Amino acid sequence: MTPVTDATTPRGARPARTAGADVACEHCGLPVPAGRLDPDAELLFCCAGCDTVHHAIRAAGLERYYDLRDDADDRVRPDGAGVRRYAEFDDPAFREVHVVADATGRARLDLYLENVHCAACVWLVERLPLVVEGVIEARLDARTGVARVEYDEGSVSPGEIARALDRLGYPCRPYRGLPMEEHRRREDRRHLIAIGVSGACAGNAMVSAFALWGGALSPGHALLLRGLGLLFTLVALVWPGRVFFQGALSSLRTRTMHMDVPVALALAAGTLQGAWNTWRGAGETYFESITAVVFLLLVGRFVQHRQQRRAHDAVELLAAVTPATARLLRDEEEHEVPVEALARGDRVVVRAGDRVPADGRVVAGSSRFDVSLLTGESRPVAAGEGDPVAAGAVNVAAAVRLEVESTGAETRIGRVMELVERSARTRPPIVRLADRLAHGFVVAVLALAIVTALVWIRRDPANAVEHAIALLIVTCPCALGLATPLAIAAAVGRAARAGILVKGGEVLERLARPGVVLLDKTGTLTRGEVRMVSLDGDRGVLGDVAAVEAEGTHAIARAFVAAADDASIPRTAARDVEHVLGHGARGTVDGRAIVVGSGRFVRAHASASPEIDDRERGMLDRGLSPVLIARDGQAVAVAGFGDPLRDDAPAAVEALHALGHELAIVSGDHPTIVRAVADELGVTRAEGSASPERKVEAVREARARGAAVVMVGDGVNDAAAFSGADVGVAVQGSAEASLASADVFLSREGLGPLVELFEGARRTTAVLRRNFAVSILYNVVAGGLAVAGEIDPLVAAVLMPLSSLSVVTLSYRSRTFGA
């Protein structure tokens, strides 16, 4: 045990516990509070939680955990709240949803663990079979914090496993994102295997071709090399390349021509011609070109595939904003059950700090709920008996009882997520236009190939087929197919390094056009947190207020303490402190009686002058929440609390105006507050009290005017609007559900990255146009030479990769985002 400030004391040494020295907790290494210092104790801990976890690790014989932790120079921070019962883990509904079992009784459970920090955590968790009888294997991914536990259902239950992990310092909850992630992992693995096989085939086919081009080979060796080239080509076509033939057949069945048709024709014609030339021992084989075409096209498709995962995320959106469990009342006793087990008419308890598990109505108690995630309202909303409360809201005050009215997809948040999924499935006009252009290109290439063959049959029948094949190969739409995904992939990579994460293929092109930018207020233009914005009156009272509110849990209390700390105001300990829920607090500081809270609460304990009344009204006019402060029976100051603007918001709004965008604020917050923010930023259009449905309607109204619409926000209330807009942009601190439906996520704080996004999108569009121009110019020139008979299939095969390489070079050498 060592003082925190002394990094040189060797482990195991026991320095003197001198007054004023910070003594480190034996388990987590954090300072031990003065109230828990005992000179006679052998081991000291900062809290009861660390004491419990330490003894559990020692009792299980897992002391090596501490050595591994020290080697990693990391610290485990247990929650200190004690071990939960995890009774909901043993509910039949939990097993049905989260446990995968086979006929032998071997089961698998995936859990998300808190407090996972280092390699020592992995070592400790994976020793779970030594601690819990019946656990067969435990594997922990330190990066994601997800543990997979395999166990014998007849020997141990999920609840026992969860309690054991909690005792070790890792509170857990079921991990619900695994099915989709496993599916995506399998899909990516399948793509990568296909790319690897095609690349290997292309490399070997090229080696055979180089040997043939060298000449001076005996007929037998030449035939062997041609045969090997044919073998590698057939493997490339039958295995990874079959997707092009499947796509071509599907295209023909549905009578919608796309780029797979000329690709499949070129591959088939080249292979047949090469096989015939191999049989007769003369002519070009084209095998190295065919396998290279398959490899390059698969790489391009994989890049596209990785950029197009939007609608699939909607399945997990509901889980992101609702709790995994609920406290169900049965015979007036609380039972933790999975939310999937709730039904209409059930009664649940929602404690302070809990998230509401289902839509319901308050039947007992009253409290205040943080609904900013759902509506954008920055201030908690009061709810008493008979008032409705939506799933996903956070109870910030007192425990209440709710009667469940709707669950799962039937809740308000579930319906919002349905809007997200429906909007995400809608194909934007630019995608439909691109499909039509691709269809025209394919038809033109096929028609031109037929014309070329017919013309040359009359002039040179022996070479007519070769000229048609050369045309199909040289105008194979590789460059056109790669122009967009590679340029976007390069831009997306640069944007990611700049803290701007872009999802979709057409997002950057849409952002390049001037249009309407709809801005949410809470968390987007503002910081999304309660702060003391103004203090009118005796500012010397702030230190006393901070002393009284030092132990308070309300957001206003924390804001008072933060304001005092920011101003470096010293404070002494308060005595006789009383916190009155929903009203305020009072206490004594150095003999001074301090009362702080709502106007009604303070006036009940102190007198207020007309000047104080005027200051209170002034705060309301500015869109701030007033809090009165009284000292020794007289109100002396009024503090105004609000959600302050981000520092770079004015500059960002000015820059967006300069780029030609029309700005509007659409927020769920109070209209007075929204109007005040709009006036401060110089935005003319502003709308408050906007529900998620109203935001979707605002997006539709803007799109109906023919404008490109960009929605910028951070809450679940913005998720449906994200999907309905041309582009949805989620700012730092966004809810997980809004991230899944947004096209862009700004991982850096502030609105500066938003301006960078629009500017980078314009530069990316310029790169796209240049790539298309190069691709079209190449196809016109090369196609013209092929029709004229100036190039044969071998030259065409050499030129085709060069066109793709030129597009790749132009894409990755262009400066789109960042320096």
Side-chain angles (χ1 to χ4, degrees):
M1 188 181 333
T2 65
V4 173
T5 56
D6 184 4
T8 62
T9 306
R11 180 173 174 79
R14 300 182 57 81
R17 296 167 184 166
T18 57
D22 285 337
V23 179
C25 172
E26 188 71 20
H27 175 66
C28 71
L30 297 177
V32 177
R36 296 187 62 87
L37 288 175
D38 183 357
D40 299 325
E42 181 180 359
L43 303 175
L44 292 179
F45 302 92
C46 65
C47 63
C50 284
D51 192 352
T52 302
V53 172
H54 176 84
H55 286 91
I57 291 175
R58 295 279 181 184
L62 301 174
E63 298 92 340
R64 187 166 174 255
Y65 161 77
Y66 293 104
D67 297 326
L68 291 169
R69 182 203 62 190
D70 292 343
D71 291 340
D73 194 26
D74 210 336
R75 291 176 177 172
V76 176
R77 295 173 174 82
D79 61 0
V83 179
R84 282 179 50 200
R85 291 185 300 165
Y86 293 97
E88 73 278 9
F89 278 49
D90 296 325
D91 191 282
F94 179 93
R95 184 187 185 281
E96 182 178 347
V97 174
H98 300 294
V99 176
V100 178
D102 58 23
T104 65
R106 183 171 178 139
R108 187 185 76 217
L109 174 63
D110 295 296
L111 299 171
Y112 174 76
L113 307 186
E114 300 178 18
N115 304 325
V116 174
H117 297 288
C118 61
C121 299
V122 177
W123 182 88
L124 184 60
V125 171
E126 294 189 349
R127 297 306 182 275
L128 191 63
L130 302 178
V131 180
V132 182
E133 183 179 356
V135 174
I136 301 169
E137 184 181 46
R139 288 286 178 262
L140 173 63
D141 184 344
R143 181 179 60 84
T144 61
V146 177
R148 169 165 289 186
V149 182
E150 295 190 7
Y151 62 96
D152 181 3
E153 282 196 300
S155 304
V156 67
S157 69
E160 291 175 296
I161 294 171
R163 286 190 290 273
L165 288 168
D166 201 330
R167 282 194 298 271
L168 293 177
Y170 302 101
C172 56
R173 61 178 183 267
Y175 182 64
R176 296 186 282 184
L178 194 68
M180 180 63 70
E181 287 193 8
E182 280 192 342
H183 170 73
R184 289 179 171 178
R185 194 177 295 115
R186 286 195 300 267
E187 197 172 34
D188 288 346
R189 188 181 299 118
R190 188 168 62 249
H191 281 293
L192 292 173
I193 289 174
I195 290 172
V197 171
S198 63
C201 290
N204 284 282
M206 286 180 182
V207 170
S208 300
F210 290 155
L212 284 172
W213 293 342
L217 294 174
S218 66
H221 286 139
L223 180 61
L224 175 62
L225 291 173
R226 288 172 180 266
L228 287 174
L230 176 60
L231 176 62
F232 289 124
T233 301
L234 291 176
V235 172
L237 294 182
V238 173
W239 186 353
R242 71 177 182 272
V243 295
F244 304 114
F245 295 96
Q246 292 170 344
L249 288 175
S250 299
S251 175
L252 294 176
R253 289 195 191 102
T254 58
R255 299 178 182 178
T256 54
M257 304 292 286
H258 57 68
M259 291 187 181
D260 278 346
V261 175
V263 171
L265 283 176
L267 295 176
T271 303
L272 291 174
Q273 183 70 25
W276 171 248
N277 290 343
T278 298
W279 175 259
R280 66 191 183 94
E284 301 298 335
T285 57
Y286 321 120
F287 297 143
E288 72 288 346
S289 301
I290 292 169
T291 51
V293 167
V294 173
F295 172 72
L296 289 171
L297 287 178
L298 287 176
V299 170
R301 288 199 172 190
F302 180 67
V303 172
Q304 280 183 302
H305 178 75
R306 292 291 293 244
Q307 303 301 324
Q308 296 172 341
R309 282 177 172 172
R310 295 183 59 197
H312 301 290
D313 291 331
V315 177
E316 297 297 326
L317 293 182
L318 185 58
V321 293
T322 54
T325 62
R327 294 185 175 90
L328 178 65
L329 279 175
R330 292 174 181 164
D331 300 325
E332 294 302 311
E333 290 187 3
E334 294 182 23
H335 300 271
E336 279 203 75
V337 300
V339 291
E340 293 83 2
L342 294 180
R344 182 181 177 87
D346 286 343
R347 295 200 170 190
V348 296
V349 174
V350 182
R351 299 177 184 173
D354 285 355
R355 195 175 290 278
V356 178
D359 283 0
R361 198 168 293 275
V362 178
V363 294
S366 62
S367 184
R368 299 179 69 82
F369 292 85
D370 180 359
V371 295
S372 60
L373 196 66
L374 304 168
T375 67
E377 173 67 54
S378 59
R379 292 177 290 192
V381 175
E385 291 189 19
D387 293 331
V389 181
V394 179
N395 185 358
V396 298
V400 297
R401 293 186 178 186
L402 300 181
E403 182 173 304
V404 175
E405 294 184 340
S406 55
T407 62
E410 299 301 319
T411 61
R412 183 183 182 189
I413 188 63
R415 293 192 297 272
V416 170
M417 293 304 103
E418 184 182 359
L419 281 174
V420 171
E421 187 176 6
R422 188 185 309 158
S423 299
R425 287 197 301 260
T426 304
R427 294 171 63 83
I430 189 171
V431 177
R432 295 194 291 269
L433 176 61
D435 290 342
R436 290 195 296 271
L437 292 175
H439 173 84
F441 175 83
V442 171
V443 172
V445 168
L446 293 177
L448 190 58
I450 294 173
V451 171
T452 300
L454 292 176
V455 170
W456 280 99
I457 282 177
R458 298 180 180 178
R459 298 178 57 184
D460 187 0
N463 293 317
V465 175
E466 284 199 2
H467 293 327
I469 291 175
L471 176 63
L472 287 173
I473 292 176
V474 82
T475 59
C476 180
C478 298
L480 279 175
L482 293 173
T484 298
L486 285 179
I488 290 176
V492 165
R494 290 185 177 277
R497 288 191 289 273
I500 301 170
L501 308 181
V502 182
K503 281 186 179 180
E506 300 87 10
V507 172
L508 295 175
E509 187 175 355
R510 295 181 213 149
L511 286 167
R513 301 194 306 268
V516 177
V517 179
L518 301 179
L519 298 161
D520 180 43
K521 182 193 75 70
T522 306
T524 302
L525 295 170
T526 63
R527 297 181 179 276
E529 58 189 30
V530 176
R531 288 192 177 187
M532 192 181 78
V533 178
S534 177
L535 180 61
D536 290 347
D538 185 356
R539 300 187 63 85
V541 78
L542 182 57
D544 292 345
V545 174
V548 172
E549 296 283 25
E551 301 298 326
T553 58
H554 194 277
I556 296 290
R558 293 195 297 269
F560 265 126
V561 174
D565 291 342
D566 291 343
S568 299
I569 297 176
R571 59 178 183 270
T572 57
R575 295 185 299 104
D576 303 325
V577 176
E578 178 187 4
H579 292 275
V580 181
L581 186 65
H583 297 284
R586 56 185 177 178
T588 303
V589 182
D590 291 338
R592 298 183 293 274
I594 302 298
V595 182
V596 56
S598 65
R600 179 178 299 178
F601 177 73
V602 172
R603 287 184 176 90
H605 297 86
S607 59
S609 66
E611 184 181 4
I612 291 294
D613 296 340
D614 292 340
R615 289 173 177 172
E616 184 180 20
R617 284 191 294 270
M619 293 291 182
L620 290 170
D621 292 340
R622 292 166 57 189
L624 301 177
S625 298
V627 175
L628 270 63
I629 303 170
R631 181 175 56 203
D632 294 332
Q634 179 66 43
V636 295
V638 179
F641 291 84
D643 187 6
L645 283 174
R646 294 185 183 272
D647 295 336
D648 58 354
V653 168
E654 184 178 352
L656 292 176
H657 277 305
L659 289 173
H661 295 287
E662 178 187 344
L663 303 185
I665 300 175
V666 183
S667 172
D669 212 341
H670 192 279
T672 303
I673 298 175
V674 175
R675 186 67 262 170
V677 170
D679 291 341
E680 187 173 351
L681 292 175
V683 178
T684 55
R685 291 180 54 200
E687 179 179 346
S689 299
S691 65
E693 295 80 3
R694 171 56 198 152
K695 290 189 177 184
V696 173
E697 186 63 28
V699 169
R700 289 174 180 164
E701 290 172 359
R703 294 191 71 176
R705 303 202 315 264
V709 181
V710 178
M711 179 70 203
V712 185
D714 75 325
V716 176
N717 58 313
D718 303 313
F722 283 165
S723 292
D726 292 285
V727 177
V729 180
V731 299
Q732 187 192 48
S734 296
E736 184 177 341
S738 64
L739 296 184
S741 60
D743 301 289
V744 182
F745 170 55
L746 308 180
S747 63
R748 285 160 44 207
E749 187 176 2
L751 289 174
L754 180 65
V755 179
E756 294 179 30
L757 172 65
F758 282 103
E759 293 175 343
R762 292 194 175 191
R763 289 191 289 268
T764 302
T765 301
V767 174
L768 280 170
R769 290 171 180 164
R770 186 176 63 196
N771 282 0
F772 272 113
V774 170
S775 301
I776 292 172
L777 179 63
Y778 159 79
N779 277 287
V780 170
V781 174
L785 293 174
V787 171
E790 297 297 327
I791 58 175
D792 58 21
L794 177 60
V795 175
V798 173
L799 289 177
M800 188 282 302
L802 290 178
S803 68
S804 300
L805 289 175
S806 65
V807 169
V808 171
T809 303
L810 288 172
S811 297
Y812 283 94
R813 296 291 294 176
S814 300
R815 297 288 181 180
T816 50
F817 289 88

